[in-house]
Amino acid sequence: MTDGSQGFWAFYRQYTRSGIHTAATAALTAIGLLVFVHWSFAILAVTIYILPPIVLYLYENPEADQSADTKLTDTGIRSEHGPKVEQTSRQSTGIPREHASDIDNAEEFTDIETDQDESIDQIEPEPRTAPVNPEDGVDAKSTADTTSEPDSGKAETSVEVSDSSHTDQEWITATSPTDEGLCDVIMADNGPYIIGDEGTILARRDRWEVILRHGPTNNSNALCGIAVSTDGRHVWVAGNSGVFGQYNIETSQFTDYSAPQEITNDWADIAAVGPAGEETLYLVDGSGQVLRGTNNGGEVRWDKPQTPGDGSSITSVVFIEEAGYLCDTNGSVYETIDDGDTWEWIGVENADPDFTDIAPIRQDAISISCDDGTVFRYDGINWTNMYVGEEALCAIDRNADTGLMCGGNGAIYKRAQGGWEHESTSIEATLHGIAIGTEYPSIAVGEDGTILEYI
């Protein structure tokens, strides 16, 4: 059987479990009874039954990437009336390298509010910096040191997830310099960087090394979010108690910017857009706030904090070239196409799971990992949902070519035609962060200092 026919039959098996198939079957039965009136009703009945799956298959499967994680579920139309938030304007954003993708002239969204609030225009005090020993790591010192409305996207159909066996690469457990929990990982210009529970920051050189032991403030606050400037030269980290700092790859210095505007909330994630020294920074927290700042050669000017939603915890914020996105634990997703001046709610109506991470590659190709083992996908109009596995999914990363997810019990999934393939690992620890590598191996991190490399 050819790949095309296999794809159609896989699609048809899912279609037979959908509401559209049920309606078509009922119509076949009802109209078929009219054959006693005239034989032409038989042709009409058969046409009504066989036409919907053919049309849906041709519409939803023009290429493998468009259908990989789309399943026939109840879908919704994007609302034009979700809650919005206003912020002050900034220059247009760049695209982080790890989320770069081909732009297919996606239809731009409209009806975004453009009114602006006044910014606070507060400049933080001069930050303090200190060099880092790349071999042994350092303890940062606090005294002068550290540098249409959518319907529910409920998962109604399950998908069989197969083990991948078509590649020579595998996930290998790396030697870790720490046994602390690791929270996230990102790819910078000179390789991957990892953040951990006690403020630890690791970098991959010839081996994994600790470059900071107790965080920017030396108080061992957990680090939860990590981002990199568009040119890969600055690594930004954020975490509990308002901790926020920058690592300069070229000078090996940390700069402490903690408690911006004297805010000491627990930062859940961070996005950085633009080259080193000119970044626009987006901090999100457990109170549903977004704090935007602009780095001007080391001085960061902060705008007034905004709350896009109902105050639910924001779990992830990511920017691509043409837009930015964030998701929260209330099943909501917000989009900005004006660098964060305004945010528009784009779904998901009556979503059951908590959203844990978001990975956009285009405005019409957005994926979200969920704590119930499902993945939501947005095609610019509809939200659909796919069941992936029993484990909670904690993180997702996507680019134009592939995708990776990780979660409980050492679970890793790789994007493949027809869905997500389960990757074999030798661990049972929960994995909290994952990053696709191009020049460097892909990395997954988690409990007890776990580091996995795809080599």
Side-chain angles (χ1 to χ4, degrees):
M1 186 177 291
T2 65
D3 291 341
S5 61
Q6 288 177 339
F8 176 79
W9 288 118
F11 169 87
Y12 187 75
R13 286 195 298 271
Q14 298 154 16
Y15 169 78
T16 58
R17 295 191 291 268
S18 70
I20 298 176
H21 175 263
T22 302
T25 303
L28 172 66
T29 303
I31 297 176
L33 295 175
L34 298 177
V35 72
F36 297 104
V37 178
H38 194 276
W39 63 268
S40 61
F41 283 106
I43 298 176
L44 178 61
V46 172
T47 301
I48 290 175
Y49 183 75
I50 67 173
L51 192 59
I54 295 175
V55 172
L56 287 173
Y57 179 76
L58 293 176
Y59 175 75
E60 295 188 10
N61 293 270
E63 57 184 22
D65 183 71
Q66 290 289 81
S67 63
D69 56 5
T70 301
K71 294 296 170 185
L72 287 170
T73 63
D74 287 339
T75 60
I77 305 302
R78 170 171 165 254
S79 172
E80 297 181 354
H81 305 287
K84 301 181 178 72
V85 64
E86 300 175 348
Q87 292 183 330
T88 59
S89 62
R90 282 295 181 268
Q91 55 188 332
S92 61
T93 62
I95 177 170
R97 181 184 62 182
E98 67 274 18
H99 294 292
S101 65
D102 297 330
I103 305 302
D104 292 339
N105 297 320
E107 179 181 356
E108 292 188 356
F109 296 146
T110 57
D111 298 329
I112 305 297
E113 290 185 338
T114 56
D115 295 338
Q116 300 176 8
D117 287 337
E118 293 184 358
S119 64
I120 289 183
D121 286 342
Q122 177 175 338
I123 299 178
E124 296 298 306
E126 186 71 20
R128 297 167 296 181
T129 64
V132 175
N133 182 342
E135 292 295 326
D136 301 322
V138 299
D139 292 338
K141 305 299 180 184
S142 60
T143 55
D145 59 23
T146 60
T147 37
S148 50
E149 297 184 343
D151 297 326
S152 171
K154 212 168 186 178
E156 294 182 355
T157 60
S158 62
V159 60
E160 182 177 350
V161 179
S162 60
D163 289 321
S164 62
S165 57
H166 58 278
T167 176
D168 293 333
Q169 291 180 294
E170 58 182 334
W171 291 95
I172 303 297
T173 303
T175 300
S176 176
T178 181
D179 59 1
E180 298 170 4
L182 301 177
C183 302
D184 206 355
V185 55
I186 202 165
M187 295 291 170
D189 186 57
N190 64 340
Y193 287 77
I194 298 172
I195 54 174
D197 285 343
E198 300 297 325
T200 300
I201 303 178
L202 309 180
R204 184 72 162 91
R205 307 295 186 242
D206 293 333
R207 63 184 187 277
W208 285 101
E209 302 170 356
V210 177
I211 61 172
L212 195 65
R213 294 192 182 280
H214 301 295
T217 61
N218 200 33
N219 290 326
S220 298
N221 299 112
L223 296 175
C224 305
I226 185 169
V228 65
S229 59
T230 305
D231 56 10
R233 294 164 47 212
H234 282 178
V235 175
W236 294 86
V237 298
N240 291 352
S241 301
V243 168
F244 172 53
Q246 173 217 94
Y247 175 63
N248 187 316
I249 291 174
E250 295 179 339
T251 64
S252 297
Q253 286 186 329
F254 273 98
T255 303
D256 181 19
Y257 294 94
S258 295
Q261 290 190 354
E262 299 183 356
I263 298 174
T264 57
N265 295 354
D266 292 345
W267 303 120
D269 199 15
I270 179 175
V273 182
E278 303 176 17
E279 301 98 325
T280 301
L281 305 164
Y282 301 85
L283 291 164
V284 298
D285 67 14
S287 299
Q289 289 191 123
V290 181
L291 179 64
R292 183 178 63 176
T294 303
N295 182 21
N296 183 15
E299 289 184 329
V300 180
R301 185 184 300 273
W302 297 101
D303 299 329
K304 182 181 178 180
Q306 300 291 341
T307 305
D310 61 0
S312 298
S313 296
I314 299 174
T315 54
S316 179
V317 57
V318 177
F319 276 74
I320 55 176
E321 184 173 357
E322 69 272 32
Y325 298 90
L326 57 83
C327 61
D328 66 23
T329 56
N330 193 37
S332 291
V333 182
Y334 297 86
E335 177 194 57
T336 178
I337 59 173
D338 53 16
D339 304 337
D341 290 344
T342 58
W343 294 86
E344 182 182 8
W345 182 86
I346 60 172
V348 177
E349 186 77 15
N350 298 325
D352 290 331
D354 290 350
F355 293 166
T356 58
D357 200 6
I358 188 167
I361 57 175
R362 297 186 309 272
Q363 287 181 286
D364 62 351
I366 304 170
S367 299
I368 299 175
S369 58
C370 305
D371 68 349
D372 65 348
T374 66
V375 179
F376 274 94
R377 185 178 185 275
Y378 187 53
D379 63 6
I381 300 176
N382 298 323
W383 286 99
T384 54
N385 191 245
M386 167 186 274
Y387 175 81
V388 176
E390 296 181 356
E391 304 87 358
L393 299 173
C394 301
I396 183 171
D397 193 14
R398 288 286 311 277
N399 62 25
D401 300 318
T402 189
L404 291 173
M405 287 191 300
C406 65
N409 296 319
I412 293 180
Y413 299 91
K414 185 177 181 180
R415 184 175 168 81
Q417 183 177 3
W420 293 82
E421 290 185 343
H422 185 270
E423 297 277 290
S424 176
T425 67
S426 60
I427 65 166
E428 295 182 357
T430 296
L431 298 172
H432 296 292
I434 199 162
I436 297 171
T438 52
E439 298 178 9
Y440 301 91
S442 297
I443 305 293
V445 301
E447 293 178 334
D448 304 321
T450 299
I451 304 174
L452 297 179
E453 299 179 342
Y454 192 57
I455 55 177

